[in-house]
Amino acid sequence: MDKSAKLQTQLQTILYGQPWYGTPIYTILEAVSFEAAYQKPQGALHNIYQILTHMLAWTEEATERMQQKPAAQPLRGDWSTSGTPDEQKWLQLIASFKLANVELTQQITAFTDEQWTEDTNDSRETYTGYGATYEALITGLMQHHVYHAGQISILNTIING
């Protein structure tokens, strides 16, 4: 199996497969009502809606970087406000997150093994110490997804008791 296929499989596993750590991300999101998505428990920095918007923003930014565009903050910003609770807005956010991951998967599939070890277009040199390669970018994004999915799961449990 080539590097693209391995990374694609890993991403799909955490999104809707059977990940080793537990519940896949899309299943976690299905358990969140739109009311819960907008609630912010005491002491929480962000609500579920804001966390998912953050995940979407960085998925879109990773896709941009996969297209060799310069690294930057996400176009939609890093953290947003959630606004007034709205069921359609929540459902649209989930759909946008899924679509962004489909688009990212298409970028992953198009890469050759040689491209994965190339540096991304990131002149900031503030990466995590192991190089800003395309493989590190996608691996880091998957870690980011899992981390925030855990937060969503915990917040949903706190809100729903």
Side-chain angles (χ1 to χ4, degrees):
M1 182 181 290
D2 67 9
K3 182 70 68 179
S4 293
K6 286 180 186 177
L7 290 168
Q8 176 186 358
T9 298
Q10 289 173 3
L11 179 59
Q12 291 172 336
T13 298
I14 68 168
L15 292 172
Y16 56 82
Q18 295 179 334
W20 181 87
Y21 66 83
T23 308
I25 293 169
Y26 293 164
T27 302
I28 290 169
L29 293 174
E30 288 171 10
V32 178
S33 68
F34 88 92
E35 296 93 347
Y38 289 90
Q39 289 183 36
K40 187 177 351 178
Q42 184 176 3
L45 294 176
H46 304 285
N47 63 25
I48 293 170
Y49 185 94
Q50 290 171 307
I51 294 169
L52 186 57
T53 302
H54 172 78
M55 292 169 68
L56 169 60
W58 282 103
T59 303
E60 292 169 340
E61 174 59 22
T63 301
E64 294 280 318
R65 293 181 192 187
M66 290 289 290
Q67 297 167 355
Q68 294 149 7
K69 294 180 181 168
Q73 289 291 312
L75 292 174
R76 45 175 90 233
D78 195 11
W79 291 99
S80 68
T81 60
S82 52
T84 305
D86 181 319
E87 185 172 16
Q88 289 308 310
K89 193 168 107 176
W90 171 241
L91 294 174
Q92 182 58 52
L93 178 59
I94 294 171
S96 295
F97 180 68
K98 289 180 177 182
L99 179 59
N101 279 288
V102 167
E103 291 169 355
L104 179 61
T105 300
Q106 291 170 345
Q107 291 295 317
I108 291 170
T109 303
F111 260 51
T112 65
D113 276 352
E114 295 76 30
Q115 288 175 290
W116 289 110
T117 57
E118 294 175 7
D119 287 340
T120 62
N121 191 358
D122 190 346
S123 61
R124 299 170 301 167
E125 298 181 17
T126 58
Y127 223 68
T128 58
Y130 55 90
T133 64
Y134 288 101
E135 182 178 4
L137 170 69
I138 297 306
T139 301
L141 182 73
M142 287 189 280
Q143 293 166 354
H144 184 258
H145 274 3
V146 172
Y147 172 78
H148 286 302
Q151 287 181 312
I152 290 170
S153 185
I154 290 168
L155 285 173
N156 197 42
T157 299
I158 290 168
I159 291 165
N160 292 308

